Amino acid sequence: MSIEKDPAVAIDTLIKKFLDTHRFLRPCRIQKLIYLAELMYVEKHEKRLTNAQYEPYMYGVYSETIDYTISDLIKEDQSISSKNTYRSRRIARKSSSNIKLDNELKELVKVVTDLTRHMNNYQLADWSKSTYLFNETRYDSVINLNSYVDAINN
């Protein structure tokens, strides 16, 4: 089966919405939150949530697309701040303006936030490494979300 590739939301919009639900987020956590939201959305709609491409890496699922989008937001959006700490960067949103997102996507962000609120970044990385797609994809290969839909439907 082939899922529809036209994404439901831009990655930068999704990042901002997740930042609105947290005091700050580290880039690694943003990656995993969007990946979880993507899996939940694909499972329900058989359509892509974002245009991010995911790959399995040492610290779990990683998307270069999301990484570049975070960097672009820090450079271009005055409402996004970045602070380097001894461990990594902290990304925060200075002001939470009203982001245009339909109610279903707002609810998805809320559900993902609630599901992961008590997980630290290491636990979230371990969770992403335990997913079917992570285990079925070779390192340095793009994760195929179509195979996820096929596995669910079989």
Side-chain angles (χ1 to χ4, degrees), residues 37-103:
E38 185 88 58
L39 292 182
M40 293 173 74
Y41 193 83
V42 166
E43 184 175 339
K44 183 174 181 179
H45 297 284
E46 295 186 7
K47 176 182 176 179
R48 292 295 310 266
L49 176 64
T50 71
N51 67 348
Q53 289 191 335
Y54 302 96
E55 299 177 44
Y57 279 115
M58 189 167 114
Y59 296 107
V61 172
Y62 170 78
S63 170
E64 198 170 78
T65 315
I66 294 171
D67 202 37
Y68 286 144
T69 304
I70 292 168
S71 294
D72 288 346
L73 278 172
I74 291 167
K75 288 180 207 163
E76 299 167 7
D77 190 323
Q78 297 298 317
S79 73
I80 306 293
S81 66
S82 173
K83 179 180 179 182
N84 290 327
T85 65
Y86 67 98
R87 287 192 173 167
S88 72
R89 284 189 304 176
R90 287 182 173 183
I91 314 298
R93 198 161 136 119
K94 297 173 191 168
S95 61
S96 65
S97 61
N98 205 2
I99 297 170
K100 293 186 194 263
L101 210 57
D102 70 35
N103 288 336

Side-chain angles (χ1 to χ4, degrees), residues 88-150:
S88 72
R89 284 189 304 176
R90 287 182 173 183
I91 314 298
R93 198 161 136 119
K94 297 173 191 168
S95 61
S96 65
S97 61
N98 205 2
I99 297 170
K100 293 186 194 263
L101 210 57
D102 70 35
N103 288 336
E104 181 183 14
L105 294 178
K106 286 178 186 175
E107 181 62 21
L108 177 62
V109 169
K110 181 184 180 322
V111 167
V112 169
T113 298
D114 291 346
L115 283 172
T116 60
R117 182 142 333 258
H118 299 292
M119 296 172 76
N120 66 38
N121 291 341
Y122 299 108
Q123 291 168 323
L124 199 51
D126 285 344
W127 164 81
S128 80
K129 289 176 6 180
S130 73
T131 61
Y132 169 82
L133 288 172
F134 184 92
N135 290 301
E136 293 296 316
T137 307
R138 287 182 352 187
Y139 278 94
D140 296 329
S141 296
V142 174
I143 288 175
N144 180 354
L145 290 167
N146 287 323
S147 67
Y148 180 61
V149 172
D150 289 343

